[in-house]
Amino acid sequence: MKSFLLLVTNLTLFLFPARSSPPPVIRQPLGAISQSEQSLQYIVDQEGQVFNQASVSALPLLLMAQAPHNLDRDDLSSLKILNRLSNLVSTRVVGQIQDGILIIQTPTTQFLFNPSQNSDSWYTSLQQLIARSRIDGKLPHKIDLRFTHPIITY
C-alpha cells in the first residue's frame, strides 16, 4: 500500500486547454501613411501601429519619407489632426510634415498646424472659420493655427 501512495504522489497530470480561439483584436483606422498618393498606403490605428496595407484609400493621408511600422508621437499627433480635419472638409485630407510644421493642402485652403499642440484648442475655432469665414463667397487661402490666435490669409 505504501508503494502505491508513492506512485500516486509522483503522477503528473496534464490538462489540455479548452478549444477556444483568442478574441479578435479590433483596430479602428485613424488614417494612412505613404511616400506619395499613388504608392502603397499603410493603414494606422489609434495607437500608431501599422496594421494593414491598401493601394487605394479614402482615409486621411500623411506623406512621409518612409513608412515606419510604428509612428512616433509627433507623426501620430499629425495623423490625429488630419483625421479631425477630415470631418470638417468635404475632400480627402493629405498632409506632410516640413520643418516640424504640419502642412495640409485642400483644393481651396492650406492649413498650417503645430503637431505638438493639443487639437482641442483649435478645433472649435476651425469649425467656425470654415463655416463663416468667407470674403466674396470664397474660403480663406491659408489658415495658420500654429499660434494662440489663428492667422487667416485671403
Side-chain angles (χ1 to χ4, degrees):
M1 181 81 177
K2 190 172 184 178
S3 65
F4 176 71
L5 289 175
L6 289 175
L7 183 64
V8 171
T9 56
N10 290 331
L11 180 67
T12 306
L13 296 175
F14 293 98
L15 299 175
F16 294 100
R19 291 185 181 217
S20 65
S21 59
V25 176
I26 299 173
R27 297 191 183 275
Q28 182 177 0
L30 177 65
I33 55 174
S34 182
Q35 293 177 351
S36 72
E37 289 186 59
Q38 292 78 26
S39 64
L40 187 64
Q41 299 175 10
Y42 299 92
I43 310 300
V44 179
D45 67 359
Q46 296 284 347
E47 288 87 33
Q49 295 182 356
V50 174
F51 69 94
N52 203 353
Q53 297 177 6
S55 56
V56 178
S57 172
L59 292 169
L61 178 64
L62 179 62
L63 299 176
M64 303 180 77
Q66 59 181 348
H69 290 288
N70 294 323
L71 298 181
D72 65 5
R73 186 175 50 113
D74 284 342
D75 292 337
L76 181 60
S77 176
S78 298
L79 204 53
K80 287 180 180 180
I81 290 171
L82 288 168
N83 190 317
R84 293 207 65 187
L85 184 62
S86 69
N87 297 326
L88 301 176
V89 297
S90 58
T91 60
R92 184 176 188 207
V93 179
V94 178
Q96 184 173 356
I97 298 175
Q98 292 179 354
D99 299 326
I101 300 169
L102 175 62
I103 301 171
I104 303 168
Q105 184 68 48
T106 64
T108 56
T109 308
Q110 181 182 40
F111 299 92
L112 301 173
F113 293 93
N114 180 0
S116 60
Q117 188 178 17
N118 186 6
S119 64
D120 294 333
S121 65
W122 56 260
Y123 188 73
T124 54
S125 300
L126 187 59
Q127 277 181 313
Q128 296 297 320
L129 286 172
I130 291 175
R132 297 184 180 172
S133 181
R134 296 191 190 316
I135 292 181
D136 296 330
K138 295 182 181 178
L139 286 171
H141 173 68
K142 185 188 292 186
I143 299 176
D144 191 345
L145 293 163
R146 294 177 291 166
F147 310 106
T148 305
H149 300 290
I151 298 173
I152 303 168
T153 308
Y154 288 93

